[in-house]
Amino acid sequence: MMAKRLRVLGGISVVLAAGLGVGYLLPEASPGPSQVYAQQAAVAQEAREELLIGAEKLSTAFRAAAKALRPSVVTITAKVNRQIRPQTFQRRGQMQGLPEEFRGLIPDEFFRQFDEPLNARPDPFDNEEVERDEELERTESVKIGVGSGVIVSNDGYVLTNNHVVAKADALQVQTSDNRTYTAKVIGTDPKSDVAVLKIDAQGLVAASLGDSSKMEVGDWVLAIGSPFELDQTVTAGIISAVHRSTQSVILPYEDFLQTDAAINPGNSGGPLVNLRGEVVGINTAINSSTGTSAGVGFAIPSNTVAYVMQDLRESGRVRRGFIGAQLGDVTYESLRKQNLPEEIADGVVIDAVQEGGPAAKAGLRKGDVVVKANGREVNSVAQLRNLVAMIRPGKTVELDVYRDGNPKSIQIKVEELTDEKLAAMSGVMEIGSLKIGVRPLNEELATEMELEDIESGLVVVQIDRRGVAARLGLELGDVITEVNGEAVANGQEMLDALGSKSGRVQMKIRRGSSDLELRLNVR
């Protein structure tokens, strides 16, 4: 029998089977696999388009920041002057083994083809020396390294690292449009690793310094510079941590921004940039076993850089604040022992207060826990030390502290930090030529280290692994008893002993139960 379609209602066909007198409701056929896949693909494409819109906006932000900053980023080539002496040549043909009667028969032109520098190789014969280079001694400029920098004024002031320029006799700055200038050093600050240069130029594109205190973990950043001499290289990453310190004696004012943006040799002195195109840091160091990027880079915060740069431009030296207090990190457990409120998760403990110093006069005490400084939360020793250092002498710092579980506010008038005040406060003296910090061995330290048999010496309490001391073989905890044959009991005696025989270091030390002698020529 033939079935006749009567009508369609809402997608249901009503069919009358002739001869049966029965009506059936039959659903429409389900979509096949290809239709399902097509529908899923359409939904996925729509979602992808929405995601791409967000990704493209982020890409546009990166592109805009890079375009804004690259004209301000420069490549810095450091050079040293070396004396080039004329070479003395030897006549290899006229030697003792040649019979005398033959010497007059053979013209000098024949022997001249065999001339070579005296230091080329040893000769067993007694050779005649012939001076072939008529030139006088001359000076040649030799490249020793390449770093980066950032222009911060349209009339040619440039920020970079101290370590980029420290050993240079001449500095060459190349701008993004390949113009080259000779740079003058306006000032350097080894303790923060900041240097300010000046080039004779006008109309330059200057970068803007942002507020590094606003940077938080997870914020996007760009690093721009000349890694491996590849100028105008841009890498991207995030802020991995803030208030980082490597505990270096040479850079006591470390309060780094840590980033995973690739930083490599040559990036030093270049800017770390936020997505607004503002410089929030100056790239300065990496933590790596290979010497190349391992995803752990450090930048000096722009707020520190701005403070240092202002002083260097105005007076050529940096004035730092001092309150006369030793600081120590605290743990969650130690905070709880202080009976602090649960919401207090960070702070810095006062380990000691200098008698008669600014902090003591204001009422700060050993054991106080600092939780805020000038209204800003404090969470590390490096952060608080830098904050105090960047307060102008004569100004006041307000510390919010907890003492025996009770909150207090203490106003301290800041004084200017000097080497004498620092040494008196900490007992640690920096030996810059060796890049170490030493402390006189006293009875308490000797007992703690089980060194009662040593009457005097200097304990190595800080060391820079990149410095001379590391090459010499010194380690933390070593007790230096003699330097260049002279007994040492304090830092000044060590400085005097080092200065008496420039270029050579010979030390007697106690390491554990062993007495060692270390030698190094540091010329």
Side-chain angles (χ1 to χ4, degrees):
M1 294 284 184
M2 296 287 294
K4 298 181 179 179
R5 185 178 301 273
L6 300 180
R7 59 178 176 169
V8 177
L9 301 174
I12 302 298
S13 299
V14 181
V15 179
L16 179 63
L20 296 177
V22 180
Y24 292 89
L25 298 177
L26 302 177
E28 287 185 340
S30 300
S34 61
Q35 292 175 301
V36 173
Y37 294 150
Q39 291 172 357
Q40 291 175 343
V43 172
Q45 178 62 27
E46 183 178 351
R48 186 161 54 248
E49 291 293 336
E50 292 181 0
L51 292 173
L52 283 173
I53 291 173
E56 287 173 348
K57 287 182 178 179
L58 179 59
S59 180
T60 300
F62 281 134
R63 189 185 309 148
K67 282 184 177 180
L69 259 293
R70 289 181 70 187
S72 304
V73 179
V74 299
T75 299
I76 300 173
T77 301
K79 298 181 178 182
V80 295
N81 297 327
R82 292 180 179 171
Q83 294 295 321
I84 307 299
R85 297 180 178 178
Q87 289 183 321
T88 301
F89 291 82
Q90 62 186 9
R91 185 66 52 75
R92 295 187 58 79
Q94 292 183 349
M95 50 192 172
Q96 192 175 12
L98 185 68
E100 184 67 31
E101 60 268 22
F102 285 102
R103 294 191 180 184
L105 299 177
I106 301 175
D108 286 347
E109 286 73 16
F110 174 80
F111 293 105
R112 192 163 288 125
Q113 64 182 310
F114 302 109
D115 288 355
E116 63 181 13
L118 272 173
N119 58 358
R121 57 179 173 172
D123 197 303
F125 300 99
D126 182 16
N127 301 304
E128 176 189 358
E129 295 185 5
V130 179
E131 191 70 43
R132 292 290 309 281
D133 193 338
E134 302 295 335
E135 297 181 22
L136 299 176
E137 288 188 2
R138 63 186 186 276
T139 300
E140 183 177 72
S141 186
V142 180
K143 180 172 71 175
I144 59 170
V146 173
S148 304
V150 58
I151 299 168
V152 290
S153 71
N154 57 17
D155 61 345
Y157 282 94
V158 177
L159 277 172
T160 187
N161 286 146
N162 172 70
H163 76 260
V164 170
V165 306
K167 297 181 180 180
D169 294 319
L171 296 166
Q172 179 180 292
V173 171
Q174 180 179 309
T175 57
S176 62
D177 56 1
N178 294 320
R179 288 182 290 171
T180 301
Y181 301 89
T182 298
K184 175 185 176 182
V185 177
I186 299 300
T188 62
D189 181 42
K191 292 183 177 180
S192 65
D193 200 22
V194 173
V196 179
L197 312 181
K198 179 69 169 63
I199 59 176
D200 187 11
Q202 297 290 333
L204 300 174
V205 179
S208 298
L209 297 183
D211 184 352
S212 54
S213 69
K214 294 181 179 179
M215 299 305 293
E216 296 185 9
V217 174
D219 286 346
W220 283 106
V221 285
L222 303 178
I224 310 177
S226 303
F228 306 112
E229 301 190 30
L230 299 171
D231 62 311
Q232 298 293 309
T233 296
V234 181
T235 57
I238 62 170
I239 295 295
S240 306
V242 295
H243 305 307
R244 280 289 195 231
S245 174
T246 63
Q247 302 300 319
S248 167
V249 64
I250 305 306
L251 299 177
Y253 295 99
E254 294 179 340
D255 187 24
F256 293 138
L257 297 175
Q258 181 183 327
T259 180
D260 64 352
I263 297 175
N264 282 293
N267 271 113
S268 290
L272 191 70
V273 183
N274 64 18
L275 292 189
R276 294 182 178 275
E278 299 167 331
V279 177
V280 295
I282 296 296
N283 301 318
T284 190
I286 60 175
N287 191 335
S288 170
S289 60
T290 64
T292 59
S293 176
V296 183
F298 303 101
I300 308 165
S302 57
N303 290 0
T304 300
V305 171
Y307 181 95
V308 171
M309 178 176 64
Q310 180 181 345
D311 273 7
L312 291 179
R313 288 183 61 174
E314 291 178 354
S315 64
R317 72 181 187 92
V318 181
R319 300 176 67 213
R320 290 188 167 90
F322 172 78
I323 61 172
Q326 284 187 9
L327 312 177
D329 287 314
V330 294
T331 64
Y332 180 83
E333 290 75 15
S334 63
L335 286 174
R336 300 286 73 80
K337 289 180 180 178
Q338 294 281 350
N339 194 29
L340 268 61
E342 287 293 330
E343 63 269 17
I344 303 297
D346 294 299
V348 169
V349 67
I350 302 300
D351 284 340
V353 177
Q354 184 182 35
E355 185 177 352
K361 292 176 183 177
L364 195 68
R365 296 181 187 175
K366 178 181 178 179
D368 287 349
V369 177
V370 183
V371 295
K372 285 186 179 181
N374 285 346
R376 184 177 300 173
E377 291 186 356
V378 170
N379 53 33
S380 74
V381 168
Q383 179 197 10
L384 181 56
R385 182 175 57 235
N386 269 29
L387 190 149
V388 170
M390 289 193 295
I391 296 176
R392 299 292 176 189
K395 301 291 185 181
T396 299
V397 60
E398 180 180 2
L399 300 183
D400 291 345
V401 307
Y402 275 86
R403 181 182 299 164
D404 300 325
N406 300 313
K408 295 181 70 67
S409 179
I410 299 176
Q411 306 276 340
I412 304 174
K413 187 175 181 180
V414 176
E415 296 181 0
E416 182 174 356
L417 175 67
T418 64
D419 291 340
E420 293 76 16
K421 289 180 180 179
L422 183 61
M425 181 66 236
S426 64
V428 177
M429 187 167 185
E430 296 178 15
I431 309 297
S433 60
L434 299 182
K435 296 188 176 182
I436 59 173
V438 294
R439 175 177 292 170
L441 182 71
N442 54 30
E443 185 177 347
E444 182 181 352
L445 272 174
T447 301
E448 181 181 333
M449 301 174 69
E450 299 181 355
L451 297 173
E452 289 85 352
D453 60 321
I454 299 179
E455 294 183 0
S456 63
L458 294 170
V459 183
V460 179
V461 294
Q462 295 172 317
I463 190 167
D464 190 322
R465 63 180 181 274
R466 299 165 295 183
V468 175
R471 288 163 40 209
L472 183 64
L474 280 174
E475 298 178 2
L476 288 175
D478 285 349
V479 180
I480 303 169
T481 57
E482 286 187 15
V483 175
N484 290 338
E486 299 179 21
V488 292
N490 57 59
Q492 188 57 53
E493 289 182 355
M494 184 171 180
L495 288 175
D496 293 341
L498 287 170
S500 64
K501 297 178 181 178
S502 176
R504 182 173 66 88
V505 179
Q506 179 180 339
M507 289 186 185
K508 288 185 178 180
I509 67 168
R510 169 66 67 86
R511 179 177 298 164
S513 58
S514 302
D515 291 310
L516 305 175
E517 188 168 317
L518 305 178
R519 300 169 183 259
L520 179 69
N521 190 329
V522 295
R523 289 188 187 275

